[in-house]
Amino acid sequence: MLLVARKNLFSERTRLAISVGGVALSVFLISLLLSLYRGWDEKVGGFVEKTNVDIWVGSTGTNDFLTAASIIPLDNSNLLDAIPEIKAWSPLIVRPMTGVKVEFPERSDKEAEGTKMDMHLIGFDPEKGLAGPIKMVEGNGKPGPNEVIVDEALASHYGINLNDIISAGGKRWTVSGISEGGDFVASQTVFVSLKQAQTALQMEGLATFIVMQLADGVDPDEFAAEAETQVPQAAAFTKAEFTESTRDVVLGDILPILSIVLALAFIVGLAVSGLTIYTATIEKGREYGIIKAVGFKNTYLYRLVFEQALVTGALGFVIGVSLTLAFGRLAADQVPQFVTLVRWQDLLVVFGATIVMSLAAGYVPVRRLAAIDPVEAFKA
Amino acid sequence: MSDNATPVLEMVNVVKTYGAGDNAVTALKDIDFYANPGEVVLVMGPSGAGKSTFLTIAGALLKPTSGSVTVSGINIVEANERDLPDIRRERIGFVFQSFNLLEALTATENVTLVMSESRGGSPHRARELLNMMGLSHRLKSLPKNLSGGEKQRVAIARALANNPDLILADEPTANLDAKRGREFMLLLKQIAVEMQKAVVIVTHDHRMREIASRIVWLEDGTFRVDVATTKDPVCNRVIELEGAPNLEYEALRFYFCSDACKVLFEKEPMRYAGT
């Protein structure tokens, strides 16, 4: 770094603090929003993405996992056993439920009355295990009659433990396991056996989806396309398609808003760093004239300004990202829905944006420098 | 021109015209000038005479409309515009009226900054120059902590950083008190003689005459010979006798740079007549 750039930058601590603070604030906002989006994206699509299912089949019009109003009659589903491309298949029930009561019988009288919660009830075949819990944290992964597996995020939020009671659809289920990977931010999974779900939801002979594992060597894209051709009233998705469409349905509306906020954060950073660098350059205009007069070229002055801008940007980036990491953890402890995921790829993008911000902030003052007449140095 | 020396600075038939057509103003009218190694040349003259234009052309900051300007054998009129900064940095040392040090840099850093490696520049040489200027105790001081005289000595060290043959000084004593001003001009003389530099000083300060090898009078864009000059007793500027406001006091005639100085003299003649 050039001596003059370093000295100019660090000799005025207040200005440096304002300038770095502006960039840091911008980087903090950008990286926090981005990591929040990534966190939600990961959570919302995470369950579908991580299940042991290759193909999801719903009724026509089905688009996603969380809000699907799909109903599939299971009358002739046994025909699926004859299809050699299908290694395993199973009906699956998925229903969002609100106001589900949870009781804590092992607690004191008042607490034992419990509370109410929202959740996604999933009825799966415990023997086949398709689209069941991603990973068990505690207890049994195969819920028996009157047993339920609760996602750890839900358990943590409501303080649910093994042997607590969940009541829904006139049924009372004892918590027999805690799983992970079923957190969709706004709601979480609760797993019961398919039969239990069908009874509770009065869906005997029906399912929301049919999920399948394909035989080795079968192309999921081709299979899904062929399935829709053969059964026009069905909508078939590969795991990747269903993951993406689930994310799109939930986060699609947020993305444009997020983009605008990201752009605003970028503009705030650009404005603060641009103004501080501009005023610093204008204030030092006479000194830049002197530097020109004693024999330095415009390119040297440009380098001076851009180096100051870039160092300001780099410091702002480090502080901004540190703030994001610290704030993300702190906020997640207080607000479970505040799920952030900081990816190095996103940090690279934010760093690139910071560099662009810094270069843009230096551009206007640099143009002023080019116009400085070194003869000004002779004026008293 | 001196017969036995190669001039460090030579200006021949230099004309500088600003603007064009009816708005054209000619600041320098076909002037010739030279400065040899080891001499101090004073350029004096009234305000608006073209001294600043002369200095900026001599300093390769401005190209003349016509004529030739040679610094250390380099024709700066024919030189590529992109090469002029290097010529200024390596061949010419500047001393400004307002010192013009960079406020964020220490004394040593102000000198080191302009040093060119190709001219033997190094932090060691910067310290050496500052020691030579009597600033060994101020090497790490910022300009804001230096006195006017110390600042000007740092400026001299900076001007000498690349060991140029030519030193151009613009009113170098204007911001110094009498004692510091005298010390400073003796230093300039010493540099000219001992280091064989050509020192060209544009000034109004009559005290500088004491160290001058030659004095040239610039007026209306031309150098005038046989100009009778004297000192304004109020502001101490060197002025040309011809046409200057004047008055007689106790059988002596006093000349002034302006009517304002004349009025001040009339109010307190005893204060100024003895200076």
Side-chain angles (χ1 to χ4, degrees):
Chain A
M1 187 179 185
L2 293 174
L3 174 70
V4 181
R6 180 162 49 86
K7 289 283 186 163
N8 277 350
L9 202 57
F10 293 102
S11 64
E12 294 184 43
R13 302 274 166 88
T14 308
R15 190 199 302 278
L16 179 66
I18 293 170
S19 195
V20 169
V23 178
L25 178 67
S26 173
V27 168
F28 171 60
L29 286 173
I30 292 171
S31 55
L32 187 70
L33 288 172
L34 213 49
S35 63
L36 198 56
Y37 176 75
R38 293 293 180 207
W40 288 349
D41 193 54
E42 167 73 11
K43 294 282 183 187
V44 167
F47 177 75
V48 178
E49 194 171 39
K50 289 172 187 164
T51 51
N52 51 2
V53 168
D54 297 322
I55 297 290
W56 293 75
V57 179
S59 55
T60 312
T62 298
N63 279 321
D64 71 301
F65 175 81
L66 290 171
T67 63
S70 166
I71 293 179
I72 298 177
L74 298 172
D75 305 340
N76 301 316
S77 58
N78 287 343
L79 294 175
L80 293 171
D81 291 331
I83 300 174
E85 288 91 342
I86 299 173
K87 180 176 157 189
W89 69 274
S90 162
L92 188 77
I93 287 181
V94 179
R95 278 290 178 271
M97 300 183 81
T98 57
V100 175
K101 191 173 182 189
V102 56
E103 298 167 26
F104 309 111
E106 293 177 2
R107 298 191 197 176
S108 63
D109 285 351
K110 195 175 180 184
E111 286 178 325
E113 291 174 11
T115 184
K116 291 192 172 181
M117 61 186 187
D118 299 338
M119 63 184 200
H120 263 76
L121 181 73
I122 297 180
F124 76 111
D125 183 341
E127 295 310 315
K128 291 184 178 173
L130 296 183
I134 301 295
K135 186 181 174 187
M136 291 306 293
V137 177
E138 200 177 355
N140 184 1
K142 293 183 178 178
N146 305 318
E147 285 184 345
V148 67
I149 297 170
V150 179
D151 185 78
E152 63 173 350
L154 193 71
S156 168
H157 185 61
Y158 290 100
I160 301 170
N161 291 306
L162 295 182
N163 301 321
D164 287 340
I165 306 291
I166 290 174
S167 307
K171 300 280 290 181
R172 284 168 62 81
W173 291 302
T174 303
V175 177
S176 64
I178 309 283
S179 65
E180 70 172 35
D183 180 11
F184 305 105
V185 184
S187 115
Q188 289 78 29
T189 51
V190 166
F191 297 91
V192 294
S193 70
L194 179 68
K195 284 193 168 115
Q196 293 280 311
Q198 284 173 326
T199 306
L201 299 171
Q202 297 177 337
M203 288 180 69
E204 284 87 354
L206 299 171
T208 311
F209 300 107
I210 288 179
V211 290
M212 303 171 183
Q213 276 182 341
L214 298 179
D216 291 343
V218 178
D219 182 75
D221 290 314
E222 286 177 12
F223 183 87
E226 182 64 20
E228 286 190 349
T229 308
Q230 296 295 327
V231 189
Q233 61 272 39
F237 300 87
T238 63
K239 181 196 282 190
E241 287 170 345
F242 207 48
T243 302
E244 192 179 336
S245 62
T246 298
R247 283 175 172 151
D248 278 351
V249 167
V250 178
L251 299 174
D253 293 340
I254 297 173
L255 200 56
I257 300 166
L258 192 72
S259 303
I260 291 171
V261 180
L262 286 174
L264 287 175
F266 182 84
I267 290 168
V268 166
L270 179 61
V272 175
S273 59
L275 280 172
T276 48
I277 290 167
Y278 182 77
T279 51
T281 307
I282 298 307
E283 274 180 26
K284 295 269 181 189
R286 182 177 172 81
E287 289 201 352
Y288 288 119
I290 295 163
I291 291 171
K292 266 189 174 182
V294 297
F296 288 92
K297 296 173 181 168
N298 275 339
T299 47
Y300 180 86
L301 301 186
Y302 299 162
R303 210 181 132 189
L304 276 182
V305 172
F306 281 127
E307 277 195 1
Q308 291 177 69
L310 288 172
V311 170
T312 302
L315 289 174
F317 174 78
V318 170
I319 293 171
V321 169
S322 304
L323 280 175
T324 302
L325 294 171
F327 185 82
R329 284 186 186 173
L330 200 67
D333 286 344
Q334 304 299 318
V335 184
Q337 291 85 351
F338 203 96
V339 182
T340 56
L341 175 65
V342 180
R343 300 193 319 166
W344 67 266
Q345 296 95 326
D346 290 334
L347 291 184
L348 268 183
V349 170
V350 176
F351 184 70
T354 310
I355 296 297
V356 170
M357 191 192 297
S358 303
L359 293 177
Y363 177 71
V364 175
V366 149
R367 291 189 63 187
R368 283 288 297 254
L369 288 183
I372 289 177
D373 187 350
V375 174
E376 293 294 313
F378 284 98
K379 293 184 179 167
Chain B
M1 187 186 301
S2 171
D3 293 331
N4 55 2
T6 305
V8 173
L9 170 64
E10 187 171 22
M11 302 168 81
V12 180
N13 301 129
V14 169
V15 174
K16 180 62 188 177
T17 303
Y18 296 103
D22 292 342
N23 297 322
V25 176
T26 302
L28 294 179
K29 299 169 184 169
D30 199 20
I31 63 162
D32 294 332
F33 179 86
Y34 69 92
N36 286 329
E39 70 173 355
V40 176
V41 184
L42 253 54
V43 179
M44 307 185 92
S47 297
K51 297 195 297 295
S52 293
T53 301
F54 164 80
L55 199 63
T56 49
I57 288 176
L61 287 158
L62 190 66
K63 285 198 173 183
T65 308
S66 65
S68 86
V69 180
T70 308
V71 174
S72 299
I74 302 168
N75 188 333
I76 59 175
V77 178
E78 291 174 357
N80 192 312
E81 199 74 44
R82 284 179 303 179
D83 296 332
L84 292 181
D86 287 338
I87 294 171
R88 287 203 296 275
R89 190 173 167 194
E90 297 184 350
R91 306 287 175 176
I92 305 168
F94 292 95
V95 179
F96 304 97
Q97 178 179 347
S98 303
F99 319 125
N100 285 351
L101 301 177
L102 303 192
E103 291 298 321
L105 304 190
T106 64
T108 308
E109 288 164 346
N110 261 289
V111 179
T112 312
L113 173 70
V114 299
M115 282 185 160
S116 166
E117 283 180 20
S118 64
R119 304 280 292 180
S122 69
H124 174 70
R125 175 161 164 75
R127 287 192 291 273
E128 209 172 69
L129 284 168
L130 288 166
N131 288 340
M132 195 194 303
M133 298 297 145
L135 293 170
S136 53
H137 61 302
R138 293 296 206 182
L139 298 179
K140 291 182 179 173
S141 297
L142 292 170
K144 66 181 178 188
N145 298 323
L146 298 174
S147 70
E150 287 173 331
K151 284 181 192 173
Q152 201 58 301
R153 278 183 281 157
V154 175
I156 277 278
R158 180 177 65 184
L160 293 169
N162 289 316
N163 197 22
D165 299 320
L166 175 64
I167 304 287
L168 296 177
D170 180 29
E171 301 281 7
T173 56
N175 287 321
L176 302 179
D177 60 31
K179 183 172 176 244
R180 306 284 176 213
R182 180 172 165 71
E183 284 173 3
F184 183 73
M185 66 190 203
L186 291 175
L187 182 61
L188 279 180
K189 178 73 177 177
Q190 189 186 348
I191 287 165
V193 173
E194 292 181 8
M195 301 174 81
Q196 283 298 290
K197 309 292 181 195
V199 179
V200 178
I201 305 170
V202 167
T203 185
H204 282 111
D205 187 348
H206 75 99
R207 296 170 301 179
M208 298 293 286
R209 299 166 77 106
E210 183 185 333
I211 60 159
S213 313
R214 285 185 292 126
I215 300 172
V216 294
W217 186 263
L218 185 63
E219 190 172 333
D220 290 335
T222 58
F223 286 119
R224 293 182 57 186
V225 290
D226 302 327
V227 174
T229 62
T230 187
K231 182 186 69 173
D232 181 324
V234 176
C235 67
N236 286 328
R237 282 186 165 196
V238 177
I239 54 169
E240 184 185 2
L241 288 179
E242 188 185 326
N246 62 84
L247 58 74
E248 195 173 288
Y249 176 71
E250 291 188 347
L252 289 173
R253 184 151 294 278
F254 292 90
Y255 293 84
F256 305 95
C257 69
S258 64
D259 286 332
C261 280
K262 186 181 170 188
V263 169
L264 285 173
F265 184 93
E266 285 169 339
K267 284 181 181 171
E268 296 179 88
M270 288 180 67
R271 176 182 170 187
Y272 297 113
T275 60

